[in-house]
Amino acid sequence: MMQGHRHIYFLCFYAILLTVSSVLFSCRGGAEESAEVTEDIAETTLKWGIDIDRYNIIDGTIQNGQIISKLLEEYGVGAVTSGKLEAAAADVFSVRKLRAGNKYHILQTNDSLERSEWFVYEISPIANAVYSLSDSIYCYIDTVPTDTIQKHISGRINSSLWNAMLDGGASFELAGLISDMYSWTIDFFGVQQGDSFSVYYQDIVVDDTIHVATDKILASNFITAGADHYAFYYVYREGRGEYFDEKGNSLRRAFLKAPLNYTRISSTFSNARKHPITKVVRAHHGVDYAAPSGTPVYSVGDGVVTVKGWDSKGGGNYMKIKHNATYTTEYMHLKGFASGISQGTHVKQGQLIGYVGATGMATGPHLDYRVFKDGTAINPLRMDLPAVDPIAAGDMPQYLREVAGFMSLVGIDVQSDTIRNDSIR
């Protein structure tokens, strides 16, 4: 009887041992399987939010007049799918916005069927529209991480600022920012051979090398006619970033240096000029800017249009803008006026107001630009208007502390008594 019990106990113990061993083996196997899965995930190559190891990638470029249905048809995607895709993507990035010259990528399964499951369109260097072509048709935007890096460029002008900057490896964008920043204080059509510049700026890049955009200029010095023109980016009151010089004066002025981008000055301010048509010697109280017909003309400052019409004395289509109680500007020989401009219109500095023409008594397309101070004509090329909103005396110490590093980079001795005493006024 006791032997029978011992036999039963042994069988029970053996069954329990087998159960525990099975559980332990299952756990170990599960752990190994989990490790394998984790390892697989680690080796997955993600791009555009897709595991691209599963696909063959075909690269292409959008052609002129190419529509999405015809493009996808080349890769085995039917018209029904293309139609659903157009509807599904309308609120994300419409397939009708595809532009010729931009790149695209087709992701096909790397099996014998070679099904096209994804279409990726490069909107820009940092944004891609990703379209699912499988059972679930949808679209999303995938963005590429970017970095902002500080860069420096310097050079000497032999022909033009644009050529000098491009020769130094800068972008057209940076040259435009320099031109805009100094538009109140430097006439870039008057720069001379030998003038020089030094610019510190921020570029937005992908993978530390691919240029996406120029963010902003941090500091610069443009030397023309032997004079330094410093500029430092500073976030002043109300969180607005602007450019100031080494003494805290804003680079912005009440007026732009010129109302247009012109080819040359064909006639200057004079009290006795022989008119090219009438041959009569009389005053010419303006500056003639020769430029192609249709060149945009901008208001040099904020103001109100007081006159818009035809000058029967030879000025043709012309306009007057009153800027304040002191200054009024006049623009003559216009081909036409900008849309929305009429007498009484309030305009902003840099706003389009008209186009260069040759109306009235003119031998060719040009703008006759005039400035009046308290009703008396003055020479626009000799105006020395005060800066707008200079940094207040109480804020100067903080300003100097924040831009001291850039001042040193562009050659200013930040310990100079002249700088400190003149600036903290």
Side-chain angles (χ1 to χ4, degrees):
M1 186 73 180
M2 290 295 294
Q3 286 183 344
H5 283 296
R6 281 198 297 269
H7 181 68
I8 293 172
Y9 292 153
F10 175 77
L11 289 176
C12 291
F13 175 77
Y14 183 71
I16 293 171
L17 181 62
L18 287 176
T19 302
V20 172
S21 298
S22 176
V23 171
L24 289 174
F25 178 79
S26 298
C27 290
R28 186 181 64 178
E32 289 177 353
E33 182 179 349
S34 176
E36 289 176 2
V37 171
T38 303
E39 185 177 346
D40 288 343
I41 293 175
E43 292 177 355
T44 297
T45 304
L46 289 177
K47 189 173 183 179
W48 308 305
I50 303 169
D51 176 8
I52 61 173
D53 292 333
R54 299 174 51 207
Y55 299 97
N56 295 320
I57 300 177
I58 304 171
D59 303 321
T61 303
I62 302 295
Q63 304 300 311
N64 285 322
Q66 193 170 38
I67 60 175
I68 190 67
S69 58
K70 292 297 183 183
L71 186 155
L72 294 179
E73 186 179 5
E74 298 177 15
Y75 302 100
V77 179
V80 174
T81 299
S82 296
K84 291 180 179 179
L85 179 63
E86 184 170 346
D91 295 333
V92 181
F93 190 87
S94 173
V95 293
R96 297 185 179 185
K97 293 181 179 180
L98 307 188
R99 298 178 59 182
N102 284 27
K103 296 180 180 180
Y104 68 84
H105 313 277
I106 298 291
L107 278 63
Q108 292 185 335
T109 56
N110 51 17
D111 53 25
S112 59
L113 296 178
E114 294 184 341
R115 296 184 308 276
S116 297
E117 293 193 347
W118 297 94
F119 170 65
V120 180
Y121 169 74
E122 294 187 9
I123 302 172
S124 71
I126 60 172
N128 303 283
V130 183
Y131 303 88
S132 168
L133 306 174
S134 56
D135 295 335
S136 178
I137 296 176
Y138 58 92
C139 171
Y140 62 87
I141 302 298
D142 175 71
T143 56
V144 179
T146 62
D147 293 306
T148 301
I149 61 175
Q150 183 176 311
K151 302 180 74 173
H152 172 249
I153 184 173
S154 61
R156 191 171 298 275
I157 294 175
N158 293 317
S159 57
S160 69
L161 170 67
W162 292 85
N163 290 336
M165 297 200 77
L166 294 178
D167 289 344
S171 63
F172 279 103
E173 189 178 10
L174 178 62
L177 290 176
I178 283 282
S179 181
D180 290 342
M181 184 178 68
Y182 283 120
S183 62
W184 291 276
T185 53
I186 297 177
D187 181 357
F188 282 104
F189 288 92
V191 297
Q192 303 173 2
Q193 187 173 359
D195 290 349
S196 61
F197 58 88
S198 179
V199 184
Y200 292 85
Y201 62 101
Q202 289 181 335
D203 253 2
I204 299 174
V205 298
V206 173
D207 296 332
D208 294 330
T209 56
I210 303 174
H211 173 85
V212 175
T214 298
D215 184 26
K216 60 176 168 284
I217 294 169
L218 301 172
S220 78
N221 183 23
F222 195 97
I223 303 174
T224 178
D228 293 302
H229 295 272
Y230 296 106
F232 303 100
Y233 182 80
Y234 182 64
V235 179
Y236 198 31
R237 294 174 178 174
E238 300 177 356
R240 184 178 63 191
E242 290 199 33
Y243 292 97
F244 300 87
D245 66 14
E246 76 280 11
K247 296 184 179 181
N249 295 313
S250 173
L251 264 65
R252 287 193 303 120
R253 296 293 190 270
F255 287 171
L256 295 175
K257 196 70 175 179
L260 76 168
N261 292 323
Y262 56 94
T263 303
R264 61 187 174 87
I265 294 177
S266 55
S267 183
T268 57
F269 188 94
S270 173
N271 287 317
R273 184 194 71 159
K274 187 177 183 178
H275 195 277
I277 295 179
T278 65
K279 308 302 181 184
V280 175
V281 176
R282 63 181 184 183
H284 179 255
H285 288 162
V287 174
D288 287 349
Y289 293 103
S293 179
T295 298
V297 176
Y298 306 98
S299 174
V300 296
D302 295 355
V304 178
V305 177
T306 57
V307 178
K308 173 198 169 187
W310 180 266
D311 178 21
S312 59
K313 296 180 181 180
N317 290 323
Y318 83 118
M319 180 186 306
K320 285 187 176 183
I321 298 176
K322 186 176 180 63
H323 300 281
N324 51 35
T326 303
Y327 291 100
T328 298
T329 55
E330 185 173 3
Y331 311 79
M332 305 172 72
H333 305 301
L334 298 173
K335 180 180 181 179
F337 305 99
S339 176
I341 298 294
S342 59
Q343 186 171 329
T345 300
H346 289 262
V347 294
K348 293 291 186 180
Q349 186 177 66
Q351 181 176 336
L352 177 68
I353 57 173
Y355 306 90
V356 169
T359 57
M361 295 177 63
T363 57
H366 70 283
L367 175 71
D368 185 343
Y369 169 59
R370 306 190 176 200
V371 179
F372 299 87
K373 181 179 181 180
D374 295 323
T376 301
I378 62 174
N379 189 344
L381 299 179
R382 294 184 178 178
M383 294 176 64
D384 186 19
L385 296 172
V388 175
D389 300 328
I391 292 178
D395 296 328
M396 275 302 297
Q398 177 66 24
Y399 168 70
L400 292 175
R401 280 192 295 271
E402 291 200 21
V403 301
F406 284 116
M407 284 187 173
S408 297
L409 289 175
V410 296
I412 297 178
D413 181 5
V414 294
Q415 301 302 319
S416 167
D417 289 337
T418 301
I419 291 293
R420 287 186 290 136
N421 293 336
D422 285 352
S423 300
I424 305 175
R425 54 193 184 280

